[in-house]
Amino acid sequence: MPRTARSWASLEGKLFATVLIAVALGTCIPFGLLKLGAEPVLAWSAGLLFALVLAFALLRPLTRNLNRALQSLEGGLLNFRDGDFSISLALNRHDQLGNLADLYNEVGEILRRERAHIHQRELLLDTVIQSSPLALLLVDQGEHIIYANTSARHLLHGGKALQGHLLQQVFPHCPPEIAQAIEQQRDGLISYLDGESSQTLHISNSTFVLNSQRHRLILLREMTRELTRAEVQVWKKVIRLISHELNNSLAPISSMAHSGKLLSEKMLPDNQHAQQLAGVFDVIADRCRHLTEFTQGYARFAKLPAPACEEVSWHKLVARLQPLHPFTLQGELPSRPGYFDAAQIEQALLNLLKNAAESGSEQKDITLRIETDAHGQLLTVADRGAGMSDRVLQQALLPFYSTKPQGVGLGLALCREIADAHGGRIRLHNRSDGGLQVSIWLPWAPQA
């Protein structure tokens, strides 16, 4: 639009044009009346009155539209103040008010996009926090819980809602070690009993000011799996070192024993002392062989390969296990095939069934139950033996730990290593009516 046209279309241009028209027409009235012989004062008074009435008549539509536009802008700004950016102004004007309405609509669109973007980011952040294994609590200065994620609810309140509760109201529902650490605002590692297994958490406390109020952020991180993995790695390094040194010594000793036996037979044929000496060399060779097999067992634990997971028929797995260590199958086998490394899980189950058979339990009381759900697979071996003491339960999964006279302490440790390699876990607990129950849980998709 040209400058001249744009200026006349502006609000000032319309007002000026309206007044100019009213004045021009108003001045025509006195001149007409003077020609007709009217008094000058009356003529000019009549012209002024006519100009005023005409100006009012011409300005009224303009002011009415102006009032409507201003009311629309006022309503829109009130919506902005209330946080509602969904209203747009439909003012079909070509003046400053029209430009102002267009600018209002542009700002509203920008604010709508920004709010939608912020809302999506808040949803994403909340989803990440709720899905995190890290338990998170946000407490205000009045010790009221104003935010808690899913992990915190399960750890501290049995899965129930925490928001709005006082922090002290939660303490009776969680392990006393955790409650004491939160109350004392401690930072560091804490251990507690979950059933009959020991668990380790790392707790941290931090304070900050939000909306002029002091808030406290409590973070609880499950460290049992990380510490267990670090512990197993240390054991593996020790085992590899010992195996290497023993193999370096056993191989020449076994060779020298064999050579010594042959030499004694040649030097002292058909001699009683030669036979005794050959027996000594046989004992040395036998012990070397036993130690070699012993260290190879540990070496296999230290060099467990990554699981090669595939679909496995439960019927075939049970059929392979049954002749080796008989057991009673509890319940029906799942229709959905298992998904894991068949050789490793079969070895783990054989170890558990062997332990059950050596626990003093009768064969008919040794059971295997296989269950699946949307999250994973649960394999449970139970017996009616003597069970385990609390001290043994806490150390049963450690390498080298065994309560058997001839045990090497690798069976349960290997089971734990296999479960961890699949991204699962193993749990041991005494049955209330006697015996031990060992459960291996495996996810459908192996996790690092």
Side-chain angles (χ1 to χ4, degrees):
M1 180 182 296
R3 175 179 295 271
T4 303
R6 186 165 59 246
S7 62
W8 282 106
S10 65
L11 184 60
E12 296 90 345
K14 291 179 180 179
L15 290 173
F16 180 76
T18 302
V19 173
L20 184 63
I21 293 172
V23 170
L25 293 177
T27 55
C28 293
I29 298 299
F31 289 113
L33 292 175
L34 289 173
K35 289 181 179 180
L36 295 175
E39 291 291 332
V41 175
L42 293 176
W44 286 104
S45 298
L48 179 60
L49 180 61
F50 178 80
L52 290 175
V53 172
L54 181 61
F56 177 78
L58 294 175
L59 287 174
R60 187 173 182 181
L62 181 63
T63 55
R64 183 170 55 247
N65 292 335
L66 178 61
N67 288 333
R68 290 175 180 174
L70 292 175
Q71 289 174 359
S72 299
L73 283 172
E74 182 184 9
L77 292 174
L78 289 175
N79 289 329
F80 275 12
R81 187 186 65 180
D82 296 335
D84 183 7
F85 311 127
S86 61
I87 304 299
S88 297
L89 300 181
L91 296 180
N92 188 17
R93 300 176 65 96
H94 300 288
D95 53 13
Q96 287 90 340
L97 287 175
N99 295 335
L100 187 60
D102 293 339
L103 183 60
Y104 170 93
N105 291 335
E106 291 178 11
V107 173
E109 180 63 25
I110 293 173
L111 292 174
R112 281 194 293 272
R113 288 199 299 265
E114 288 293 330
R115 167 170 283 187
H117 181 63
I118 293 173
H119 181 64
Q120 292 298 324
R121 291 179 63 181
E122 288 178 350
L123 286 178
L124 176 61
L125 180 60
D126 185 67
T127 302
V128 171
I129 293 176
Q130 293 294 340
S131 303
S132 172
L134 185 71
L136 183 148
L137 279 179
L138 184 60
V139 184
D140 64 13
Q141 60 186 13
E143 294 293 302
H144 289 89
I145 300 173
I146 59 176
Y147 187 85
N149 67 349
T150 304
S151 297
R153 293 198 297 270
H154 285 285
L155 178 65
L156 304 176
H157 208 211
K160 298 178 182 178
L162 284 170
Q163 191 168 344
H165 288 75
L166 282 170
L167 197 58
Q168 290 76 11
Q169 295 176 335
V170 180
F171 291 158
H173 303 280
C174 63
E177 295 85 356
I178 298 179
Q180 185 178 7
I182 294 176
E183 187 175 17
Q184 297 176 356
Q185 299 190 22
R186 288 163 46 190
D187 290 333
L189 295 176
I190 57 173
S191 297
Y192 68 98
L193 286 178
D194 181 14
E196 295 183 347
S197 61
S198 178
Q199 303 292 324
T200 303
L201 285 175
H202 182 272
I203 181 172
S204 63
N205 292 268
S206 59
T207 58
F208 59 94
V209 176
L210 180 64
N211 295 330
S212 302
Q213 291 190 352
R214 179 177 172 272
H215 287 72
R216 175 182 168 198
L217 181 64
I218 305 170
L219 299 177
L220 296 161
R221 181 183 179 188
E222 177 67 47
M223 297 293 293
T224 306
R225 183 180 292 272
E226 286 78 4
L227 293 175
T228 298
R229 288 177 177 173
E231 185 181 34
V232 169
Q233 293 304 316
V234 172
W235 282 117
K236 286 184 175 183
K237 290 180 180 179
V238 173
I239 290 170
R240 285 195 290 267
L241 178 62
I242 294 175
S243 299
H244 177 72
E245 295 299 327
L246 284 176
N247 286 330
N248 287 345
S249 300
L250 290 174
I253 291 174
S254 178
S255 177
M256 291 173 65
H258 180 69
S259 300
K261 178 182 178 181
L262 295 177
L263 186 60
S264 65
E265 290 175 350
K266 290 181 181 179
M267 294 178 62
L268 302 170
D270 300 327
N271 186 288
Q272 181 179 1
H273 295 292
Q275 294 177 358
Q276 293 177 352
L277 189 58
V280 171
F281 285 127
D282 286 337
V283 171
I284 295 174
D286 183 65
R287 296 311 301 169
C288 286
R289 186 166 52 253
H290 173 74
L291 282 174
T292 301
E293 294 174 354
F294 180 81
T295 56
Q296 286 176 351
Y298 282 107
R300 284 194 295 270
F301 167 77
K303 298 178 181 179
L304 182 70
C309 297
E310 59 183 357
E311 287 193 353
V312 179
S313 168
W314 296 114
H315 293 279
K316 292 183 179 179
L317 179 65
V318 170
R320 288 196 299 267
L321 294 172
Q322 192 78 51
L324 302 175
H325 286 286
F327 57 87
T328 301
L329 182 65
Q330 281 192 338
E332 298 292 330
L333 291 176
S335 57
R336 179 179 178 176
Y339 188 77
F340 45 78
D341 187 310
Q344 292 187 9
I345 296 301
E346 184 176 331
Q347 182 62 54
L349 291 175
L350 284 175
N351 289 347
L352 297 181
L353 292 170
K354 178 175 178 291
N355 288 346
E358 295 173 352
S359 67
S361 174
E362 295 186 12
Q363 180 178 313
K364 63 182 181 62
D365 293 325
I366 299 174
T367 61
L368 171 65
R369 176 184 290 274
I370 300 175
E371 302 169 282
T372 61
D373 58 19
H375 303 287
Q377 313 146 83
L378 184 65
L379 298 85
T380 304
V381 175
D383 61 57
R384 293 293 183 187
M388 292 183 178
S389 65
D390 292 340
R391 177 175 175 273
V392 173
L393 275 175
Q394 293 180 8
Q395 304 182 68
L397 297 174
L398 295 177
F400 304 123
Y401 183 83
S402 178
T403 57
K404 302 175 185 176
Q406 302 298 325
V408 296
L410 274 185
L412 288 175
L414 182 61
C415 292
R416 184 181 72 174
E417 180 68 5
I418 291 173
D420 287 344
H422 283 76
R425 58 181 179 268
I426 182 171
R427 294 288 178 89
L428 293 77
H429 67 88
N430 290 315
R431 305 173 70 179
S432 58
D433 49 354
L436 183 72
Q437 178 172 304
V438 185
S439 300
I440 297 178
W441 180 84
L442 306 171
W444 289 113
Q447 302 167 357

